[in-house]
Amino acid sequence: MEVTKKLQKLSLAALIVSLLPLATLVPVFLKITLPDGVRMIWAICNIAFALAGLLLSVICVKSEESRSAVNIMSTIISVALVLMMLGIVALALVLNFLQ
């Protein structure tokens, strides 16, 4: 019983951490230009949040008793973010290789 409650809290934390990288869109919609240093720190935080969300989601989804729609949704969001980041890195490598 206690383990299930902890996993439910962990699944909610995984969903919140998975959604944090989407906060990057707030300055875009408000047309705010951030300095280079802030953008770099924000990018590093986004990578950390995406990886942490994926890790927490996988931990929650592994346990059958705590598997729920929230866990599956946070896993899908985290996987999509990680795949997008890997795609951006691969594109940057290809473009640098071609030049």
Side-chain angles (χ1 to χ4, degrees), residues 23-28 31-40 42-43:
T24 304
L25 298 175
V26 173
V28 173
K31 296 182 179 166
I32 298 172
T33 305
L34 299 173
D36 289 339
V38 174
R39 284 192 311 212
M40 186 168 144
W42 201 326

Side-chain angles (χ1 to χ4, degrees), residues 31-81:
K31 296 182 179 166
I32 298 172
T33 305
L34 299 173
D36 289 339
V38 174
R39 284 192 311 212
M40 186 168 144
I41 291 171
W42 201 326
I44 292 168
C45 289
N46 283 340
I47 293 168
F49 286 139
L51 293 175
L54 181 63
L55 179 68
L56 291 173
S57 299
V58 168
I59 289 171
C60 292
V61 168
K62 272 187 163 181
S63 174
E64 285 187 29
E65 56 202 28
S66 73
R67 196 173 297 156
S68 66
V70 173
N71 293 337
I72 294 169
M73 197 166 45
S74 66
T75 304
I76 291 170
I77 292 168
S78 297
V79 167
L81 288 171

Side-chain angles (χ1 to χ4, degrees), residues 5-26:
K5 285 219 181 244
K6 285 184 181 180
L7 286 174
Q8 286 176 347
K9 288 181 182 180
L10 191 62
S11 67
L12 183 61
L15 180 62
I16 292 169
V17 170
S18 297
L19 291 175
L20 280 176
L22 298 177
T24 304
L25 298 175
V26 173

